[in-house]
Amino acid sequence: MALASWYNDEQYDEMYELKLNCTMPRMQLRVTLTPKFSTLQRIILVITCAPSLEICYVFEVATQHMLHDFGKYDDDGPKAIQRWYKFGWKQSTDGVIRKILESLTSIVGTHIENTAKRLNS
């Protein structure tokens, strides 16, 4: 009891282990699109799966990063899109996959069009 007063809660980390009753090879998918031309921005798409007991959440975040030095892009960039989805374990995810693909295609297409317009003017 006397020794307990010398220690505070910040001196150690509690570790917990969570075991799922199903296999899940990946929890997060990160896609990085790095352009060959320096006038274009790097686009990073991160898709995260957060399972719970009854439902599964899927988070989608796409960011754009400007080139600031030779081959070095900004660490942080503005969010082009940020959405989340909620599923039951037996629901199909086909519609969400299509939405994520369409949004990434739209972000890349819009960025290329805007850059081409800026360079032509």
Side-chain angles (χ1 to χ4, degrees), residues 10-24:
E10 296 176 5
Q11 291 181 345
Y12 67 93
D13 294 327
E14 291 186 26
M15 301 293 288
Y16 298 96
E17 187 173 325
L18 174 65
K19 293 187 180 187
L20 297 175
N21 61 356
C22 61
T23 60
M24 187 172 290

Side-chain angles (χ1 to χ4, degrees), residues 5-72:
S5 64
W6 290 352
Y7 298 102
N8 63 18
D9 291 339
E10 296 176 5
Q11 291 181 345
Y12 67 93
D13 294 327
E14 291 186 26
M15 301 293 288
Y16 298 96
E17 187 173 325
L18 174 65
K19 293 187 180 187
L20 297 175
N21 61 356
C22 61
T23 60
M24 187 172 290
R26 289 190 180 166
M27 297 295 287
Q28 189 175 75
L29 173 68
R30 181 182 174 114
V31 177
T32 303
L33 303 174
T34 304
K36 291 184 178 182
F37 302 104
S38 61
T39 55
L40 296 173
Q41 296 178 0
R42 174 184 279 176
I43 297 173
I44 298 176
L45 171 67
V46 179
I47 301 169
T48 306
C49 177
S52 70
L53 294 176
E54 297 178 4
I55 52 178
C56 182
Y57 295 97
V58 175
F59 301 97
E60 167 194 14
V61 177
T63 54
Q64 294 178 281
H65 304 265
M66 294 186 69
L67 182 71
H68 67 85
D69 200 359
F70 294 105
K72 300 204 187 269

